[in-house]
Amino acid sequence: MRAIILVVALALAQGAAAATSLQATKPLVDRLSRSGRAETRIGQTISSAGETLRSAHGRLTLEPPDRLRIDFDGGERVTMRKNGGEWIQPSAQQMLVLKPGQAQAAVSIWKAFLAGGGQAFRERALGAGRYQLVSRDTSAGLPDSVQVEQGADGLPQRIELWVGEERWSLRLRHWTFARARGDSAFKLRAPAGYQVFDWP
């Protein structure tokens, strides 16, 4: 559970997008403002002391101002939006339902890529399309530091952050853009036979 929440916790600090966009996030924010929807393949690795704790792949979908969905290979799915979210867990044959506050807290880090991130992070250029984002408020539940590496098109292709002793590495590739589909595309229903629980 913690692993998914922190992956999903990779960003959306709300506020005026264009005025607060960081160089690390601006190309994606601009493309999203024109199209309304972005999708990319995502690979996630969590490691500690050189040991891989979790590795997963799937498809990430973002829609401003606050919608996020990850469809992991293998059937695990999670959605976040302003009025809540769902998390389908095939291994447990269950779906967890998130309240609005829980969903928005979980999606906190992806908000930087939906709304610019300038209100939540300070930015330091590392050269060659690499940036370090440092949280302005360590009590806000964001990682202390996030590194973003852009591809030749300026879109994020690698994001790394540290949560305690754990290193999170996200690889993003094959970005595509389309018109927004709205909240209905970010709402999940439990498959037949699954138990449904409210998030504690």
Side-chain angles (χ1 to χ4, degrees):
M1 179 181 299
R2 181 167 172 262
I4 293 294
I5 281 301
L6 286 174
V7 145
V8 173
L10 200 21
L12 294 136
Q14 293 186 356
T20 62
S21 290
L22 305 169
Q23 291 303 308
T25 64
K26 189 175 187 306
L28 180 55
V29 170
D30 289 348
R31 292 286 298 272
L32 275 167
S33 70
R34 293 194 300 269
S35 67
R37 179 183 180 91
E39 294 187 12
T40 183
R41 287 291 300 174
I42 183 171
Q44 166 200 313
T45 302
I46 306 168
S47 59
S48 179
E51 179 183 355
T52 298
L53 304 179
R54 175 183 169 92
S55 181
H57 297 83
R59 176 163 293 278
L60 166 70
T61 305
L62 298 172
E63 282 189 11
D66 52 19
R67 303 182 193 109
L68 176 148
R69 175 171 178 154
I70 302 178
D71 293 87
F72 286 101
D73 299 346
E76 189 173 7
R77 289 175 283 165
V78 61
T79 57
M80 304 287 174
R81 55 189 186 278
K82 65 183 176 184
N83 62 351
E86 296 84 31
W87 179 11
I88 290 179
Q89 302 170 308
S91 61
Q93 295 283 290
Q94 68 181 23
M95 184 178 82
L96 297 179
V97 178
L98 283 72
K99 299 178 181 68
Q102 294 169 324
Q104 289 304 292
V107 79
S108 60
I109 200 176
W110 285 112
K111 287 184 178 177
F113 296 94
L114 286 164
Q119 293 182 342
F121 293 99
R122 293 187 302 274
E123 180 179 62
R124 182 164 68 94
L126 302 177
R130 295 172 55 244
Y131 299 87
Q132 183 177 31
L133 310 184
V134 179
S135 176
R136 294 184 183 275
D137 181 3
T138 56
S139 67
L142 296 170
D144 292 342
S145 177
V146 179
Q147 288 192 7
V148 179
E149 179 181 335
Q150 297 173 328
D153 54 6
L155 301 175
Q157 68 177 10
R158 189 178 184 90
I159 300 170
E160 291 193 358
L161 60 148
W162 289 260
V163 181
E165 298 299 316
E166 294 180 353
R167 177 182 180 181
W168 292 64
S169 179
L170 304 177
R171 298 166 308 285
L172 309 168
R173 55 191 178 87
H174 305 314
W175 285 97
T176 60
F177 296 87
R179 294 178 61 181
R181 298 181 186 174
D183 277 1
S184 62
F186 294 81
K187 184 170 179 58
L188 302 176
R189 290 180 173 79
Y194 275 48
Q195 293 183 295
V196 178
F197 300 99
D198 288 335
W199 190 281

